[in-house]
Amino acid sequence: MDRTGWSGGEENNGFHASSAKETLQLENAEVDKQQQSKDSVYFRDGIRRIDFILSYIDDKDGEKKQDRRKEFEANLQKVGLELETEDKSESEDGRTYFLKIHVPWEVLATYADVLKIKVPFKANDIPDKKDVPLSWLCTPYRLPEHVMQPEPDYFTATFDKSKTDFFLIEDKETFFPPSTRNRIVYYILSRCPYSKEDKDKKGIKRLLNNGTYAAAFPLHDCRYWTRSRDANCESERYSLYKYWARFSSFYKEQPLNLIRKYYGEKIGIYFAWLGFYTEMLSYAAVVGLLCFIYGVATFDENVWSKEICNDTIGGQIVMCPLCDKKCGYWKLSTTCSSSWQSYLFDNTATVFFAIFMGIWVTLFLEFWKRRQARLEYEWDLVDFEEEQQQLQLRPEYETKCTHRRLNRVTQEMEPYLPLTSKCARSVLSGATVLFWISLIIACIIGVIAYRLAVFAAFASIMKDSPTNKLDVVGTLITPQFATSVTASCINFVIIMILNFLYERVAIKITDMEVPKTHVEYENKLTVKMFLFQFVNYYSSCFYVAFFKGKFVGYPGDYAYMFGKWRNEECEPGGCLIELTTQLVIVMVGKQVWGNIQEALVPWLRNWWVSRSARNHPESLYSRWEQDHDLQTFSQLGLFYEYLEMVIQFGFITLFVASFPLAPLLALMNNILEVRVDAWKFTTQFRRPVAAKAHSIGAWDEILNMIAVFSVVTNAFIVSFTSDMIPRLVYKYAYHLGTESTMEGYINNSLSIFNISEIPVENRPEEGENPDWFYSSNITTCRYRDYRYPPGHEKQYTHTMQFWHILAAKLAFIIIMEHVVFVVKFFVAWLIPDVPSDVKARTKREHYLIQEYLHDYELEKLKIQLSQNGPNIEPCTCPATAATSVKLEVFSDCLS
């Protein structure tokens, strides 16, 4: 919909041209460029602030680009923006022009009204809460007050251009902070046309894509390592670097108000959420560490591992071959080390930790709602009109949608996408996503086939491997371990490659769908990316947790994949330790790789770009060139930050029962992540355009979905992946003797098979069996299952103990899920989403706005009546004041 109001016409060639006062200031303030420091955020007159920079290279064959720039800049001047160009001879490379943009007060006031920006009208008179007892303990973690609270606390109201004297305006030049100013400029740039023939050709994004401009960005206010020499400059970037972006401040609180003031609410909300998530992780990490310490402390009580390692028990139990032909018979005692390792994570504390994490997730999400509500109030987002933001059409939507129809609300023509086109695009998009998810599943099946095929090879190779003679690690390097580690590493590489490719595909197909609004675009991309990442990162863990060792069969009747490879078995100690290995490799590998990508890559790129200007004095290396040499923070940059953290959140909740130390690893990563992200934003990236957001958006729903799903997965892991339930059933129902002990559990959990009944095609080849097998008369082997022995009337069928264990597993799942869900819903009901003091402050602010507006209008009416005197004439409203300046206003808010 084209709602551009062209009211200026040709009579006004730019707002600054009509001001004789400013022209005089320009003439009087002209300074020799060589003597003036170029590390400045002001025009050459030293008065007007640079709110935005456009850069371009004037190509020899770029006549079309020149015409576009000329028309675009003329239209910007019609809107009222003031422009100043730095010639290419002044730039470092001698090729780049820099166009500086300043927003005068009249334009700021107009668009602040259009965008419904909130501004202060009265100092906050609600007293703060009393100090929390023992708050002095937090002193080492505090930052200076001027950093934590860069601005006084005010009551705010939506800006109204016709009531400027209602607001607390001391200085028009500093009334709107730089983040608000650059947001207004970008709003104008995104909607300004650049073609006389086709008014639908508009927006800085298209000009960047077709090479008309090389870059568009707001300026940082100073160098990050030192304050600006200009006393009028805030040097907020320096404060952020000093108190926030250095790793030495990792234990300090974050200056969220300063982050919000400098970068805008959207980035501020991200860092608030990341900091809160990291803080809550500390509690989960402590409990997980205590569970791990419990496993270490009760090491000697692990009766079943002692039996496995005992030469008279585990050393005498002969196990059936784990693969066909290439695997020989082996003794249970060879799994001694892995059994001890498994106990560290597979003990009674595992059940407690799984239940605790189900409740922790609820507490995290509920307390975040309260934290978010407080931020909404403090950052003037309580009445943030999400609907209005959603109705701000994307410039790409307006450009690509050539059809028009009448909007029933505004009664104006608006662009729309026909239903047939929308359906066709959605079907194609959905098919593409399904294809890529199928590709992941195919890759996972390939990795599983690798595991099955290579296990036999490892078993044959490692039979006489020299690593067996190593004192410390010799017993740890088993065919199972080698298969698991190599498969996990291959799976991680496949994950990274598919992730790299799919990111580009997801953006392409989302662009193809032509979402109507920015919110809709982000939501569509979020769903596509998360669905893919969910399958990509978690599928291998789901395989190990819920499929490996579950469909094996038994000697003489094994199950085969594709009729070729025998399905994998779990070790006698269970598959939990392998799930732990898989989780650690994928989770830690992703975190390390992510930090390398986030920190090292931007630093190397910036180092390479700015290598020639590194030694330039501050007076010659201009502020716009310094920022131009930095990396661009893409519009989806914050999306990837959220995605990284949500995937990590899935790892520490969905599979945490297998690895209680996962929250500790996540905590260590996030402490680093906060400072790496801060360092990256402050030192390596151009200043992003400020944007508003009152929540973390669609990610909130995804976190809630993961929280519910994690209860189910952890209940299944405890029941079917760990050996907790079989051990408890044995201890209380099938134990030997009168006392409930675990003695005899290993012998009870292994079934017997007659070696003579093993088919010829499954028997080990000549030379594969160990020497001790031939030196004794061995007629039976053992395998992991609950089946009747040979000679029994029901030989090789499941025993009653198997069904008892299965019933206990299902009962545990039902009980655990119900207990955790009841507690979750009770906690969610108990904790209000909005703190009581925030509700009171919000009501107080609404009341004051109404009261002050009433008094303001009443006072104006009194003044008008006193000026008119006894002869009151009807009030007439002229169309335009004689001294008003006509400006063209770009707006597509359907309000």
Side-chain angles (χ1 to χ4, degrees):
M1 181 181 66
D2 188 4
R3 297 197 60 193
T4 304
W6 294 95
S7 58
E10 296 297 326
E11 71 228 33
N12 179 34
N13 295 322
F15 177 68
H16 65 285
S18 64
S19 175
K21 181 180 177 181
E22 290 191 10
T23 304
L24 184 62
Q25 285 178 336
L26 279 171
E27 292 174 355
N28 294 336
E30 193 66 39
V31 184
D32 184 5
K33 295 181 198 174
Q34 299 303 322
Q35 295 178 4
Q36 181 190 19
S37 173
K38 295 178 73 176
D39 187 37
S40 170
V41 292
Y42 292 93
F43 275 25
R44 284 191 285 268
D45 59 11
I47 298 173
R48 293 172 295 170
R49 188 184 185 101
I50 302 171
D51 295 308
F52 224 86
I53 291 288
L54 302 180
S55 69
Y56 60 91
I57 297 173
D58 200 359
D59 301 329
K60 294 180 180 178
D61 302 325
E63 290 184 9
K64 285 187 178 180
K65 294 179 182 178
Q66 288 181 9
D67 292 340
R68 291 192 204 114
R69 282 194 295 267
K70 185 177 179 181
E71 180 66 19
F72 186 69
E73 291 167 18
N75 287 332
L76 290 179
Q77 288 184 321
K78 288 178 184 178
V79 177
L81 299 184
E82 300 179 11
L83 313 178
E84 183 177 85
T85 304
E86 286 287 326
D87 192 71
K88 64 181 180 181
S89 60
E90 297 290 325
S91 65
E92 171 62 30
D93 58 7
R95 301 169 56 234
T96 306
Y97 291 86
F98 291 95
L99 180 67
K100 296 178 282 188
I101 301 175
H102 169 75
V103 195
W105 169 257
E106 187 69 22
V107 180
L108 284 172
T110 301
Y111 282 91
D113 200 340
V114 170
L115 295 174
K116 308 298 181 188
I117 292 172
K118 285 194 169 186
V119 294
F121 70 91
K122 182 185 183 300
N124 194 335
D125 60 357
I126 300 179
D128 291 331
K129 280 188 173 182
K130 294 181 179 179
D131 291 338
V132 180
L134 301 178
S135 61
W136 57 270
L137 292 174
C138 299
T139 303
Y141 313 106
R142 303 286 186 201
L143 290 175
E145 188 63 21
H146 74 275
V147 177
M148 291 302 296
Q149 301 291 342
E151 294 178 308
D153 193 10
Y154 292 108
F155 288 123
T156 59
T158 303
F159 185 80
D160 188 337
K161 188 180 177 182
S162 64
K163 299 182 177 68
T164 53
D165 52 337
F166 174 72
F167 304 100
L168 298 177
I169 303 176
E170 295 179 2
D171 183 355
K172 290 183 178 181
E173 290 302 316
T174 58
F175 181 66
F176 292 106
S179 58
T180 301
R181 297 172 71 100
N182 72 56
R183 180 181 162 218
I184 288 173
V185 177
Y186 190 74
Y187 182 88
I188 295 171
L189 293 176
S190 299
R191 289 155 178 80
C192 183
Y194 58 83
S195 173
K196 291 181 179 179
E197 295 79 19
D198 187 357
K199 293 300 181 183
D200 285 335
K201 291 185 176 180
K202 62 174 79 171
I204 188 63
K205 280 187 181 179
R206 294 187 70 180
L207 292 175
L208 290 170
N209 290 336
N210 61 32
T212 303
Y213 288 100
F217 54 93
L219 286 180
H220 284 295
D221 59 6
C222 65
R223 295 188 173 195
Y224 66 84
W225 64 85
T226 183
R227 290 187 179 277
S228 174
R229 295 181 181 180
D230 191 336
N232 294 324
C233 189
E234 303 87 352
S235 296
E236 291 174 346
R237 185 189 189 194
Y238 167 76
S239 297
L240 286 170
Y241 177 72
K242 181 180 179 181
Y243 295 106
W244 178 53
R246 294 195 290 192
F247 187 72
S248 58
S249 303
F250 74 92
Y251 62 95
K252 297 279 190 181
E253 59 186 337
Q254 296 188 84
L256 293 177
N257 289 320
L258 185 58
I259 296 168
R260 172 247 182 169
K261 184 184 176 190
Y262 192 75
Y263 290 114
E265 287 80 3
K266 194 169 187 177
I267 291 176
I269 282 283
Y270 165 72
F271 279 104
W273 177 82
L274 180 57
F276 183 79
Y277 171 45
T278 304
E279 181 184 339
M280 289 295 291
L281 268 178
S282 61
Y283 303 109
V286 169
V287 177
L289 184 60
L290 290 176
C291 290
F292 179 76
I293 292 172
Y294 171 83
V296 175
T298 58
F299 213 51
D300 291 336
E301 300 175 15
N302 184 3
V303 177
W304 54 93
S305 291
K306 289 181 179 179
E307 290 185 349
I308 290 175
C309 299
N310 193 316
D311 290 338
T312 60
I313 302 176
Q316 299 301 316
I317 295 178
V318 178
M319 302 296 293
C320 299
L322 292 173
C323 63
D324 297 339
K325 297 185 179 181
K326 292 296 180 181
C327 298
Y329 296 93
W330 52 287
K331 290 187 176 180
L332 182 61
S333 57
T334 58
T335 62
C336 175
S337 297
S338 62
S339 176
W340 284 109
Q341 295 166 27
S342 180
Y343 176 75
L344 292 175
F345 307 109
D346 189 4
N347 52 64
T348 50
T350 302
V351 180
F352 164 77
F353 191 61
I355 295 173
F356 167 80
M357 285 303 292
I359 299 170
W360 174 87
V361 168
T362 304
L363 290 172
F364 163 64
L365 294 174
E366 291 302 316
F367 281 123
W368 166 246
K369 287 179 185 177
R370 290 171 62 83
R371 180 77 176 109
Q372 188 171 266
R374 189 174 296 280
L375 287 175
E376 283 182 25
Y377 169 75
E378 292 175 355
W379 292 356
D380 301 323
L381 300 169
V382 173
D383 296 323
F384 175 70
E385 298 181 17
E386 186 71 23
E387 184 179 354
Q388 182 208 357
Q389 292 293 317
Q390 289 177 349
L391 290 174
Q392 284 186 7
L393 304 182
R394 293 173 66 236
E396 295 87 348
Y397 179 83
E398 294 182 275
T399 303
K400 293 181 180 179
C401 297
T402 55
H403 296 80
R404 291 283 192 275
R405 68 180 175 188
L406 185 69
N407 184 296
R408 295 181 180 180
V409 178
T410 62
Q411 292 297 305
E412 295 189 27
M413 299 301 290
E414 67 173 6
Y416 81 101
L417 198 64
L419 183 62
T420 52
S421 177
K422 186 181 291 186
C423 290
R425 291 168 188 265
S426 298
V427 169
L428 183 58
S429 173
T432 306
V433 174
L434 286 176
F435 168 77
W436 278 86
I437 290 177
S438 302
L439 187 61
I440 300 172
I441 295 172
C443 290
I444 295 300
I445 293 172
V447 172
I448 294 171
Y450 163 83
R451 298 171 73 110
L452 302 180
V454 84
F455 177 78
F458 274 127
S460 180
I461 293 170
M462 299 179 71
K463 181 178 60 177
D464 300 317
S465 173
T467 57
N468 294 332
K469 300 180 176 62
L470 297 176
D471 293 334
V472 180
V473 297
T475 55
L476 301 179
I477 304 176
T478 62
Q480 293 94 332
F481 178 80
T483 303
S484 177
V485 170
T486 56
S488 298
C489 291
I490 291 171
N491 181 63
F492 176 71
V493 172
I494 291 173
I495 285 172
M496 291 293 106
I497 293 173
L498 289 177
N499 188 36
F500 175 81
L501 296 174
Y502 181 75
E503 280 181 7
R504 285 145 184 80
V505 174
I507 292 172
K508 290 287 186 185
I509 58 178
T510 306
D511 289 339
M512 179 200 67
E513 288 183 76
V514 197
K516 186 174 183 178
T517 66
H518 292 289
V519 174
E520 186 181 340
Y521 182 90
E522 287 191 5
N523 289 344
K524 284 178 177 290
L525 185 61
T526 298
V527 171
K528 290 182 182 66
M529 286 296 293
F530 182 75
L531 277 176
F532 178 85
Q533 299 276 20
F534 187 91
V535 178
N536 198 16
Y537 280 108
Y538 303 143
S539 54
S540 58
C541 293
F542 272 102
Y543 164 73
V544 175
F546 305 123
F547 294 97
K548 184 182 176 183
K550 306 298 185 294
F551 312 100
V552 176
Y554 62 94
D557 189 23
Y558 283 117
Y560 288 80
M561 182 179 180
F562 304 133
K564 184 175 182 181
W565 295 297
R566 197 171 110 188
N567 288 350
E568 285 184 285
E569 296 183 46
C570 291
E571 292 186 9
C575 275
L576 195 74
I577 190 65
E578 187 168 340
L579 176 58
T580 303
T581 304
Q582 180 78 25
L583 185 64
V584 170
I585 289 176
V586 176
M587 180 180 170
V588 175
K590 181 187 183 303
Q591 291 178 349
V592 171
W593 179 252
N595 284 324
I596 289 173
Q597 276 189 312
E598 288 186 18
L600 190 60
V601 173
W603 181 81
L604 288 174
R605 286 177 176 172
N606 287 335
W607 176 85
W608 181 256
V609 170
S610 63
R611 64 193 185 282
S612 59
R614 228 170 285 134
N615 299 319
H616 281 197
E618 182 180 323
S619 59
L620 296 180
Y621 193 24
S622 66
R623 165 94 336 258
W624 43 92
E625 284 185 279
Q626 292 176 46
D627 286 8
H628 187 264
D629 289 343
L630 298 177
Q631 295 298 301
T632 303
F633 186 74
S634 70
Q635 188 180 2
L636 297 174
L638 214 55
F639 168 84
Y640 292 119
E641 300 293 345
Y642 275 119
L643 183 62
E644 179 187 2
M645 287 296 101
V646 171
I647 292 296
Q648 182 205 79
F649 181 80
F651 278 124
I652 67 159
T653 52
L654 294 172
F655 308 103
V656 75
S658 68
F659 188 45
L661 294 180
L664 180 62
L665 293 180
L667 174 65
M668 294 166 63
N669 174 80
N670 286 11
I671 290 172
L672 180 64
E673 179 78 20
V674 171
R675 304 303 159 179
V676 167
D677 284 351
W679 172 82
K680 183 175 64 178
F681 271 93
T682 310
T683 68
Q684 302 302 306
F685 284 108
R686 297 170 185 163
R687 187 174 183 172
V689 177
K692 275 191 174 291
H694 75 300
S695 69
I696 60 175
W699 298 110
D700 197 23
E701 294 301 320
I702 290 174
L703 290 174
N704 278 290
M705 182 197 74
I706 293 175
V708 172
F709 196 39
S710 68
V711 177
V712 179
T713 56
N714 283 303
F716 271 85
I717 287 172
V718 172
S719 291
F720 288 97
T721 309
S722 83
D723 274 356
M724 180 62 61
I725 304 301
R727 287 199 294 261
L728 291 175
V729 171
Y730 174 81
K731 184 176 181 178
Y732 294 107
Y734 289 89
H735 61 275
L736 301 174
T738 55
E739 294 184 5
S740 298
T741 65
M742 292 302 298
E743 292 182 3
Y745 169 72
I746 290 299
N747 187 58
N748 175 266
S749 65
L750 298 174
S751 298
I752 302 172
F753 194 84
N754 195 332
I755 290 178
S756 61
E757 297 181 30
I758 296 179
V760 177
E761 60 271 15
N762 298 139
R763 293 180 183 179
E765 293 179 348
E766 193 68 29
E768 295 296 339
N769 289 323
D771 295 336
W772 54 261
F773 180 80
Y774 298 105
S775 61
S776 55
N777 184 23
I778 300 172
T779 58
T780 60
C781 64
R782 311 293 291 272
Y783 60 99
R784 182 184 168 87
D785 207 342
Y786 293 92
R787 294 178 183 271
Y788 288 108
H792 192 279
E793 59 179 348
K794 297 180 180 178
Q795 69 172 8
Y796 305 141
T797 60
H798 285 121
T799 64
M800 187 56 66
Q801 185 176 353
F802 170 85
W803 300 109
H804 285 167
I805 291 172
L806 181 61
K809 288 179 176 180
L810 296 175
F812 174 83
I813 291 172
I814 294 170
I815 292 170
M816 178 179 166
E817 285 183 359
H818 280 71
V819 168
V820 174
F821 280 132
V822 167
V823 174
K824 278 169 65 72
F825 290 130
F826 176 73
V827 168
W829 170 81
L830 192 65
I831 302 173
D833 291 348
V834 182
S836 57
D837 64 311
V838 172
K839 286 182 179 178
R841 287 169 178 259
T842 304
K843 290 178 181 178
R844 170 71 175 163
E845 187 166 308
H846 286 163
Y847 168 77
L848 282 176
I849 290 173
Q850 296 300 321
E851 183 183 38
Y852 271 65
L853 277 173
H854 175 267
D855 293 345
Y856 171 81
E857 295 291 351
L858 192 62
E859 191 65 29
K860 283 186 69 175
L861 182 60
K862 287 180 180 179
I863 294 171
Q864 185 179 357
L865 290 173
S866 64
Q867 288 176 347
N868 290 335
N871 299 320
I872 300 176
E873 297 180 359
C875 178
T876 58
C877 298
T880 55
T883 57
S884 66
V885 179
K886 292 185 179 180
L887 300 176
E888 301 183 11
V889 179
F890 300 132
S891 173
D892 51 13
C893 298
L894 312 180
S895 55

